[in-house]
Amino acid sequence: MVSIEYNEFLKKVEFCGLRVKEASFSTSDDFFNVDGDKELKKKLDFGVLNICQDVDEETFSADVFFQVGIKQSKKILFKVRSVYQIIFLKFDCATSEADVAKFCNTTIKATIFPYFRHSYNQVCLDAHVDLPPLPMLKIVPKVGVLAD
């Protein structure tokens, strides 16, 4: 079950800003000579790198990354990575580190993904890489499991 405190936190937190801290991509020469008989596999990763709470300012920020790698036979042929700093205001709200971490791994992930998807699509266009766009992000809650 989600705690009452966490629900109160969700009601009082406001998105304040977004900064791109890092953006990179790499393409292997082999990408343009791929074996058409072998499937290209796409792997999407997300992670929280750092969380910083400023009690006096009633803000917190998180550095998070998205990365997608395109592989064939265990070799990475194309990779796009972005690191974002997201800043939130939280009004009159005492929040545990666990609640902020939960927020970062769910709400922030869903909030930032469209920015990363756009960045990925733009890199593919600029690099003349013919790959399909990333799909929408689906976060499916676990059924029958009690939340902390």
Side-chain angles (χ1 to χ4, degrees), residues 76-127:
I76 296 175
L77 302 173
F78 183 70
K79 181 171 78 171
V80 178
R81 176 183 169 90
S82 294
V83 177
Y84 302 94
Q85 181 181 53
I86 308 97
I87 301 136
F88 289 88
L89 296 172
K90 55 180 185 166
F91 302 100
D92 301 322
C93 181
T95 310
S96 71
E97 287 183 22
D99 284 346
V100 172
K102 183 189 305 184
F103 180 79
C104 289
N105 283 297
T106 55
T107 305
I108 286 179
K109 185 176 184 179
T111 301
I112 299 308
F113 183 71
Y115 294 97
F116 178 71
R117 185 173 51 203
H118 173 76
S119 177
Y120 168 84
N121 290 340
Q122 190 64 48
V123 166
C124 287
L125 182 67
D126 292 345

Side-chain angles (χ1 to χ4, degrees), residues 16-87:
C16 184
L18 168 74
R19 295 182 185 127
V20 177
K21 292 183 76 173
E22 175 189 322
S24 63
F25 80 96
S26 62
T27 307
S28 165
D29 290 337
D30 295 336
F31 180 80
F32 299 101
N33 301 314
V34 296
D35 183 347
D37 294 333
K38 294 182 182 177
E39 180 182 6
L40 291 176
K41 296 188 180 192
K42 190 181 301 181
K43 183 172 190 255
L44 179 67
D45 292 311
F46 169 83
V48 178
L49 300 171
N50 183 36
I51 299 171
C52 181
Q53 292 195 63
D54 187 336
V55 178
D56 295 334
E57 296 292 325
E58 294 188 330
T59 64
F60 72 93
S61 65
D63 292 348
V64 300
F65 77 89
F66 271 104
Q67 177 175 296
V68 65
I70 308 298
K71 296 181 181 181
Q72 188 176 60
S73 301
K74 298 185 180 182
K75 182 172 183 177
I76 296 175
L77 302 173
F78 183 70
K79 181 171 78 171
V80 178
R81 176 183 169 90
S82 294
V83 177
Y84 302 94
Q85 181 181 53
I86 308 97
I87 301 136

